[in-house]
């Protein structure tokens, strides 16, 4: 394995592997750049590859019955996607779009399936990640169906904190909060509701907003209030 493949070590399903194995995986895959706003894969098409985000940020979305975009989640460096349709042989469950210029590692289906056969540690790690995603989807489904505007917005903030937040000086910091129209698509609400609710949270002293940075001042209390 050489230095440019270090990113593989950060990926949960590959983190336990030897340098040799990581080197092999890097050779199996192709690195490809995607410009901001380009579509990487479309919902409903047949899946033929597995993807790892080396650099950048992508959004997973679906179109609801009334034609609105619903963002399922946003993935960052070291996250992966595309495993579902190559495992169950059905179509892609979501559309994936680059939110910034991004570089991805692409592993073709056959190669990925061979990896799972050859290394039970990768298969188990993949199952653990799938369980984590299912839990997150369950929590989101429950909270979005039950809660008022504050609950919906808080759920999305907590999801982002979990995905990309960092604890800094005792507070949970989300350094680059997505645009308000994207937050609205994630929360199943309008951009105006996002704006109003974030200001309400700020007035209540729950969060601080500074440009695109959001700080949850007392993360434990925030979770208790909204979880
Ligand atoms: P696949 O269906 O092949 O293509 C779209 C990918 O988006 C899917 O595999 C998963 O990797 C990912 N995905 C779909 N739904 C979710 C979700 N709710 N949370 C996280 N990732 C998802």
């Amino acid at each position: 394995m050489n230095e440019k493949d270090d990113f593989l070590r950060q990926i949960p399903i590959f983190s336990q592997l030897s340098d040799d194995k990581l080197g092999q995986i890097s050779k199996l895959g192709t690195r490809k750049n995607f410009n901001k706003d380009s579509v990487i894969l479309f919902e409903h098409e047949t899946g033929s590859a597995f993807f790892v985000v080396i650099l950048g940020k992508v959004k997973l979305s679906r179109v609801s019955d009334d034609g609105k975009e619903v963002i399922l989640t946003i993935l960052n460096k070291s996250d992966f996607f595309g495993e579902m349709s190559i495992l169950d042989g059905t179509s892609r469950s979501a559309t994936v779009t680059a939110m910034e210029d991004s570089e991805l590692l692409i592993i073709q289906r056959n190669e990925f399936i061979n990896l799972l056969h050859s290394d039970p540690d990768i298969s188990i790690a993949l199952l653990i990640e799938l369980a984590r995603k299912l839990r997150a989807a369950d929590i989101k489904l429950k909270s979005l169906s039950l809660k008022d505007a504050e609950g919906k917005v808080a759920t999305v903030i907590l999801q982002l904190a979990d995905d990309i937040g960092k604890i800094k000086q005792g507070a949970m910091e989300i350094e680059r909060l997505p645009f308000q129209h994207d937050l609205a698509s994630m929360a199943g609400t309008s951009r105006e509701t996002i704006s109003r609710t974030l200001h309400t949270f700020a007035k209540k002293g729950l969060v601080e907003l500074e440009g695109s940075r959001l700080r949850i001042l007392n993360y434990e209390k925030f979770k208790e209030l909204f979880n």
Side-chain angles (χ1 to χ4, degrees), residues 136-152:
D138 280 350
I139 290 172
K140 192 169 170 193
L141 192 67
K142 182 172 170 222
S143 51
L144 292 185
S145 63
L146 291 180
K147 287 178 180 165
D148 55 6
E150 287 194 11
K152 288 183 185 194

Side-chain angles (χ1 to χ4, degrees), residues 19-209:
D19 282 358
D20 276 358
K21 191 83 191 182
L22 290 182
Q24 272 177 31
I25 293 175
S26 165
K27 285 200 197 101
L28 285 183
T30 320
R31 296 168 82 123
K32 190 169 171 193
N33 292 305
F34 290 86
N35 292 331
K36 180 175 186 297
D37 295 331
S38 56
V39 177
I40 299 158
L41 56 86
F42 285 97
E43 184 180 355
H44 301 313
E45 71 185 12
T46 307
S48 59
F50 171 83
F51 297 78
V52 176
V53 183
I54 301 174
L55 274 177
K57 191 192 280 232
V58 303
K59 70 176 173 189
L60 274 47
S61 64
R62 307 183 71 159
V63 177
S64 66
D65 290 346
D66 55 0
K68 284 197 195 122
E69 181 192 46
V70 178
I71 299 183
L72 300 173
T73 191
I74 293 174
L75 303 180
N76 295 279
K77 185 172 172 245
S78 306
D79 288 328
F80 65 82
F81 60 92
E83 77 292 351
M84 285 169 57
S85 60
I86 62 173
L87 287 173
D88 69 7
T90 59
S91 57
R92 295 293 192 193
S93 56
T95 295
V96 184
T97 312
M99 292 181 89
E100 21 182 90
D101 290 350
S102 301
E103 186 184 8
L104 305 183
L105 179 79
I106 307 176
I107 302 178
Q108 293 305 315
R109 179 177 188 276
N110 285 350
E111 306 283 11
F112 186 68
I113 299 287
N114 286 343
L115 269 180
L116 297 182
H117 277 300
S118 71
D119 207 314
D121 284 348
I122 303 183
S123 303
I124 300 224
L126 180 64
L127 289 173
I128 292 171
E129 282 302 305
L130 288 178
R132 202 184 61 78
K133 281 191 191 182
L134 186 57
R135 259 181 216 283
D138 280 350
I139 290 172
K140 192 169 170 193
L141 192 67
K142 182 172 170 222
S143 51
L144 292 185
S145 63
L146 291 180
K147 287 178 180 165
D148 55 6
E150 287 194 11
K152 288 183 185 194
V153 179
T155 300
V156 169
I157 291 177
L158 286 170
Q159 184 190 354
L160 288 165
D162 207 28
D163 288 346
I164 53 170
K166 293 202 174 92
I167 297 284
K168 282 195 186 153
Q169 291 159 355
M172 171 59 82
E173 193 165 299
I174 302 169
E175 204 176 314
R176 280 190 293 161
L177 198 63
F179 293 122
Q180 290 193 350
H181 63 262
D182 287 328
L183 291 174
S185 300
M186 293 174 84
T189 183
S190 66
R191 200 199 59 75
E192 291 72 22
T193 303
I194 295 289
S195 170
R196 199 181 54 244
T197 311
L198 287 176
H199 282 103
T200 307
F201 286 163
K203 263 198 214 144
K204 287 184 180 173
L206 295 171
V207 305
E208 253 175 30
L209 271 164

